[in-house]
């Protein structure tokens, strides 16, 4: 129903506050940032929404050498949960990181679970994936290679899920649930998402920054799914944080 691929390359005389949250010593430094962001909001409610982002920021403080760091990740937001889909997505995420160290997947999965969480709802946005930010702890070429590996594994993570679900029949009930859950996506992006804040604070094009928003959304006052329904299963079995690769 809406899909966007955004490339950004921005420069500025002073890093935005969202970029110096964990690096206060770089406040006020000139910067350069590049990133690619993908967001897909399918029409079929059985196909999950997906997001992937890779980015690099370089700061040039007057009192020292330039500093570069990387970030990225991908996460899956289903409206109707399927265990094989969640397991597949997380397996590919682990495959993307494993060449750089066995510990990174567990660390970045938890980071994703903690980041894509709506604190005011006490609820996850989806089933997670991986997320990392402010990363430069490897050799410079390996920092970039890890970020690139995340991007290179995106299609392997998502397309098999689309193929499994895209022909599943759906009706108004499933559509209503999808539009209601899309509201959580909007709430997160406008209240918590650092990428959205960085784009707006750095003077980027507002229309491009808000490309990630779904085209149609519904809010219902204090709605609760019927106990035992497929909609309720999303809340009980999929949104709570899980180790999807546990054997």
């Amino acid at each position: 129903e809406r899909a966007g691929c955004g490339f950004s390359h921005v420069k500025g005389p002073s890093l935005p506050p969202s970029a110096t949250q964990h690096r206060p010593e770089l406040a006020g430094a000139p910067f350069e940032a590049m990133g690619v962001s993908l967001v897909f909001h399918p029409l079929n409610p059985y196909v999950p929404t997906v997001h992937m982002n890779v980015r690099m920021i370089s700061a040039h403080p007057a009192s020292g050498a330039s500093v570069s760091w990387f970030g990225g990740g991908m996460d899956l937001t289903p409206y109707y949960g399927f265990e094989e889909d969640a397991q597949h997505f997380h397996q590919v995420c682990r495959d993307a990181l494993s060449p750089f160290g066995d510990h990174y997947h567990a660390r970045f999965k938890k980071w994703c679970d903690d980041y894509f969480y709506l604190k005011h709802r006490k609820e996850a946005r989806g089933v997670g994936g991986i997320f990392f930010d402010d990363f430069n702890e490897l050799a410079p070429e390996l920092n970039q290679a890890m970020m690139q590996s995340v991007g290179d594994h995106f299609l392997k993570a998502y397309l098999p899920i689309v193929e499994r679900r895209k022909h599943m029949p759906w009706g108004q009930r499933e559509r209503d649930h999808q539009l209601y859950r899309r509201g959580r996506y909007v709430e997160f992006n406008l209240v918590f998402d650092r990428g959205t804040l960085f784009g707006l604070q750095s003077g980027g094009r507002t229309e491009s920054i808000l490309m990630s928003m779904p085209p149609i959304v519904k809010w219902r006052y204090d709605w609760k799914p019927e106990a035992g329904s497929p909609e309720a299963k999303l809340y009980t079995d999929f949104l709570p944080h899980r180790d999807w690769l546990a054997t």
Side-chain angles (χ1 to χ4, degrees), residues 132-205:
F132 63 99
D133 204 2
D134 299 314
F135 185 87
N136 67 348
E137 61 193 56
L138 299 173
E141 65 275 11
L142 292 178
N143 291 326
Q144 182 167 337
M146 189 178 76
M147 178 192 68
Q148 185 172 346
S149 181
V150 171
D152 288 344
H153 280 78
F154 169 71
L155 292 179
K156 301 173 189 177
Y158 187 54
L159 286 186
I161 297 172
V162 176
E163 292 296 328
R164 281 197 291 265
R165 307 300 166 202
K166 67 181 182 179
H167 295 304
M168 293 182 66
W170 55 275
Q172 191 60 47
R173 172 177 176 152
E174 291 81 9
R175 176 67 166 167
D176 285 343
H177 180 60
Q178 177 198 49
L179 297 185
Y180 176 76
R181 287 298 309 174
R182 279 180 176 178
R184 303 297 204 261
Y185 209 90
V186 172
E187 290 175 23
F188 178 85
N189 279 21
L190 291 181
V191 177
F192 300 112
D193 186 68
R194 287 181 65 188
T196 301
L197 294 176
F198 178 86
L200 295 174
Q201 292 171 355
S202 62
R205 291 192 304 272

Side-chain angles (χ1 to χ4, degrees), residues 198-227:
F198 178 86
L200 295 174
Q201 292 171 355
S202 62
R205 291 192 304 272
T206 302
E207 295 301 322
S208 298
I209 296 163
L210 299 181
M211 172 195 74
S212 62
M213 298 301 178
I216 304 174
V217 185
K218 288 183 178 180
W219 276 270
R220 283 179 273 172
Y221 183 78
D222 199 29
W223 177 81
K224 299 290 191 299
E226 179 184 350

Side-chain angles (χ1 to χ4, degrees), residues 21-211:
Q21 181 178 354
H22 302 295
R23 298 174 183 271
E25 72 279 5
L26 296 177
F31 76 97
E32 182 175 5
M34 300 177 70
V36 176
S37 182
L38 306 172
V39 182
F40 295 90
H41 292 288
L43 180 63
N44 189 324
Y46 287 108
V47 182
T49 284
V50 73
H51 160 255
M52 190 279 291
N53 175 266
V54 288
R55 58 193 177 275
M56 183 198 79
I57 299 177
S58 183
H60 312 288
S63 59
S66 296
V67 180
S68 297
W69 62 97
F70 298 82
M74 58 179 117
D75 64 286
L76 196 69
T77 306
Y79 306 100
Y80 290 89
F82 297 90
E83 292 210 358
E84 63 176 324
D85 293 352
Q87 290 165 354
H88 167 80
F89 192 83
H90 282 272
Q91 180 62 59
V92 177
C93 286
R94 184 163 69 181
D95 293 344
L97 298 172
S98 61
F100 307 94
D102 293 336
H103 62 291
Y104 281 123
H105 177 256
R107 175 179 160 190
F108 292 171
K109 178 195 180 299
K110 183 181 186 304
W111 202 340
C112 186
D113 288 341
D114 293 343
Y115 181 72
F116 291 104
Y117 186 79
L118 290 91
K119 301 176 181 67
H120 58 290
R121 300 275 188 184
K122 295 181 173 61
E123 178 183 294
R125 186 171 83 171
V127 297
I130 52 175
F131 177 83
F132 63 99
D133 204 2
D134 299 314
F135 185 87
N136 67 348
E137 61 193 56
L138 299 173
E141 65 275 11
L142 292 178
N143 291 326
Q144 182 167 337
M146 189 178 76
M147 178 192 68
Q148 185 172 346
S149 181
V150 171
D152 288 344
H153 280 78
F154 169 71
L155 292 179
K156 301 173 189 177
Y158 187 54
L159 286 186
I161 297 172
V162 176
E163 292 296 328
R164 281 197 291 265
R165 307 300 166 202
K166 67 181 182 179
H167 295 304
M168 293 182 66
W170 55 275
Q172 191 60 47
R173 172 177 176 152
E174 291 81 9
R175 176 67 166 167
D176 285 343
H177 180 60
Q178 177 198 49
L179 297 185
Y180 176 76
R181 287 298 309 174
R182 279 180 176 178
R184 303 297 204 261
Y185 209 90
V186 172
E187 290 175 23
F188 178 85
N189 279 21
L190 291 181
V191 177
F192 300 112
D193 186 68
R194 287 181 65 188
T196 301
L197 294 176
F198 178 86
L200 295 174
Q201 292 171 355
S202 62
R205 291 192 304 272
T206 302
E207 295 301 322
S208 298
I209 296 163
L210 299 181
M211 172 195 74

